[in-house]
Amino acid sequence: MGSSLEEKLLGGAERDLFDFPYVRNSYAKIDYSFAKQHQLLPVQEDEKNLWVAVVDPLHFEPLDELRLLFKKEIQVVCCSQTALEQALQRCYHQNQEETKRILSVSRKNGEEKAQESEGYDLLEKKEESPVICMLNAILIEAIQERASDIHFEPKVDGLQVRYRVDGMLLQRHGFLKEHQQQILTRLKVLSKLDIAETRLPQDGRMKLKMGGREIDFRVSTIPVIYGERAVLRILDTSNVLFGLSHLGMEEKLLESFRRQIRFSEGIVLVTGPTGSGKTTTLYSALHEMHSSEKNIITIEDPVECKIPGIAQIAVNPKISFTFANGLRNILRQDPDVIMVGEIRDRETADMAIQAALTGHLVLSTLHTNDAPSAIVRLIDMGIEPYLLTSSIVAVLAQRLVRKLCPVCRIAYTPTAEELKLLGVSKKESTKTSFFYERGCSECLQTGFKERHGVYELMEMTSAIKKQVLKSPQAEELKEIALAEGMEDLFHSGAMLVRSGITTLSEVLRVTHVQR
């Protein structure tokens, strides 16, 4: 039994201990802080032996303690630190029943005097107040469900909690009115906000741990008619793989985008609505460009992920340190590549163009529906068309579509109308599998799990530059770009449908194409 267990742990499939039946009575005897400190976890047990997964097999002292505690021979099985941390999270978190029990218990009135505890571990079992237990349970559940945001919404009869998972808001919990202010106060204390100020919006941040992961939360509160509404953005970068090859771009588009970011000067824009993955794309581009020969500086609001070897600056409007002011000072730092978190106004756009025209590569984002609209938006800001044709080298537009859950997706035969939209002939459809969503426990009954990018890349060719100078209309620019080989967002999504990754309705939803 021991040898087969060791083979699985060392064997490279990296199931990370999850394939093994945990001995609940065994690890329940071990305090979480002990297991975390010594990086160990029991994974199998019989009458005489206890198999313990460890990161460092030469760390004998804690193994001796386990031998005394269990009165059994300890069999050591090596595993990676990542595998052990994931297993610790799975073993020691509250299960769904426990979470529901904690969140449903009604406690007495009274505002909790929550003590500030910067960076505490959510999985630590302590004698906490009911409000702290409830909030911790929500944070743990949201992280485990891969939520990007947590919404605390006051209603006439209580507090509603919703999670945004894969871009969609899902109803999760409800609290009595008496707990509303206690939970908001706890959030304010953790994020260093003014607990006495309830009439003005506030923004803050907090950092917590969950096992071996550090997780940042961006906190925003705003007064509404039934109290204060709070939204937490979860910045869990441990699950993000940076690198353009991880973004799911089609090979031809990926090579074109890589070619654009190799230019030594010019502007590369990434466009799309909030939550469409623009920042991840920019970070991936910086990750690929980073080398000891380049000086890369970013200015962001806020800095969402720290990249070693890159100078990252956070704007601070309270002291008038804006994107434009920051850019002006960055140019004195001898940069090769500059990333501007977002071009929001003419002053920032002017500085970005000046940087591009003086020999720097500038990466930035805009909020527009598609790639051609980015040119029109900048002209609407007051930028002269000739400056855009001289500085912009490419515009990448993107969206995120939800991927079908591979466990519960169901095959079906599409209608003639759907095949026409997808550009698939009747004959080709017999060789292609199409699926729709159903819902299961793996995907939280939504039918979808995780997301995939859809992209369109408009390169500033001679024909497009002439059109910008002649008549910068988004429709005309798009026609020229499509004629020159650009594949639009819907075409990118249609390829995912034909590959069985997502559904036609999901692609239509995010690309706003009418059936």
Side-chain angles (χ1 to χ4, degrees), residues 407-422:
V407 176
C408 65
R409 65 180 186 174
I410 301 175
Y412 81 106
T413 301
T415 64
E417 181 188 1
E418 290 174 328
L419 292 175
K420 184 179 178 181
L421 271 173
L422 294 169

Side-chain angles (χ1 to χ4, degrees), residues 379-434:
I379 291 174
D380 288 343
M381 285 184 184
I383 306 300
E384 293 293 339
Y386 74 89
L387 290 174
L388 298 179
T389 58
S390 303
S391 57
I392 294 180
V393 296
V395 182
L396 178 75
Q398 67 179 73
R399 297 287 192 281
L400 293 175
V401 296
R402 293 180 295 169
K403 295 166 61 177
L404 281 163
C405 174
V407 176
C408 65
R409 65 180 186 174
I410 301 175
Y412 81 106
T413 301
T415 64
E417 181 188 1
E418 290 174 328
L419 292 175
K420 184 179 178 181
L421 271 173
L422 294 169
V424 179
S425 68
K426 190 75 174 176
K427 184 178 180 180
E428 290 173 326
S429 68
T430 60
K431 303 176 183 178
T432 307
S433 296
F434 298 88

Side-chain angles (χ1 to χ4, degrees), residues 43-268:
V43 290
Q44 277 191 2
E45 182 180 22
D46 63 17
E47 293 180 358
K48 296 181 180 179
N49 299 284
L50 178 72
W51 280 264
V52 181
V54 298
V55 174
D56 181 4
L58 300 180
H59 192 29
F60 299 115
E61 290 82 3
L63 298 176
D64 290 336
E65 292 186 37
L66 293 182
R67 187 177 291 108
L68 292 173
L69 176 64
F70 289 92
K71 296 182 174 57
K72 293 183 179 182
E73 287 300 315
I74 304 298
Q75 306 296 334
V76 173
V77 188
C78 295
C79 68
S80 69
Q81 184 171 358
T82 301
L84 190 80
E85 288 177 353
Q86 290 178 353
L88 285 173
Q89 289 179 32
R90 178 165 180 172
C91 289
Y92 285 92
H93 84 279
Q94 292 111 329
N95 57 34
Q96 287 188 342
E97 290 73 26
E98 186 179 355
T99 298
K100 289 177 182 177
R101 180 185 62 79
I102 292 173
L103 296 179
S104 64
V105 172
S106 216
R107 295 293 197 269
K108 63 181 180 180
N109 289 323
E111 183 173 309
E112 289 293 330
K113 297 180 179 179
Q115 297 298 317
E116 179 178 348
S117 47
E118 171 79 14
Y120 72 89
D121 196 320
L122 291 167
L123 299 178
E124 293 279 7
K125 302 291 185 182
K126 295 181 179 179
E127 293 297 325
E128 302 281 19
S129 69
V131 167
I132 295 177
C133 289
M134 286 190 286
L135 184 57
N136 285 356
I138 290 172
L139 298 179
I140 290 170
E141 184 180 59
I143 293 166
Q144 289 170 343
E145 292 188 3
R146 301 173 292 101
S148 61
D149 302 85
I150 309 174
H151 292 237
F152 294 86
E153 302 167 342
K155 304 293 182 183
V156 64
D157 57 350
L159 186 69
Q160 174 181 278
V161 179
R162 296 195 288 173
Y163 302 157
R164 187 176 293 280
V165 180
D166 295 332
M168 304 296 285
L169 275 173
L170 305 176
Q171 173 68 44
R172 276 296 174 263
H173 303 290
F175 293 96
L176 298 175
K177 195 72 175 177
E178 61 194 79
H179 291 128
Q180 178 176 316
Q181 191 56 46
Q182 301 173 44
I183 291 173
L184 265 295
T185 299
R186 173 66 179 169
L187 282 173
K188 283 185 172 184
V189 169
L190 288 173
S191 51
K192 298 182 174 62
L193 300 180
D194 185 353
I195 62 174
E197 180 56 75
T198 59
R199 300 168 300 170
L200 294 174
Q202 296 189 71
D203 292 301
R205 300 191 71 161
M206 63 186 191
K207 184 192 294 287
L208 300 175
K209 295 177 183 177
M210 187 167 166
R213 299 152 61 187
E214 282 194 352
I215 301 171
D216 288 331
F217 297 84
R218 219 161 64 207
V219 183
S220 171
T221 66
I222 192 167
V224 293
I225 56 174
Y226 295 119
E228 282 186 283
R229 190 180 193 277
V231 175
L232 276 65
R233 167 63 57 89
I234 302 174
L235 305 174
D236 183 9
T237 55
S238 63
N239 288 332
V240 179
L241 294 175
F242 291 123
L244 295 177
S245 58
H246 297 294
L247 297 180
M249 291 182 181
E250 188 268 329
E251 194 61 36
K252 181 181 175 183
L253 185 145
L254 176 59
E255 286 305 311
S256 297
F257 187 64
R258 279 181 167 147
R259 186 170 63 252
Q260 307 306 320
I261 63 174
R262 291 192 194 109
F263 282 103
S264 59
E265 58 189 50
I267 299 176
V268 176

Side-chain angles (χ1 to χ4, degrees), residues 106 172 374 480 514-515:
S106 216
R172 276 296 174 263
I480 295 173
Q514 300 296 320
R515 284 184 108 159

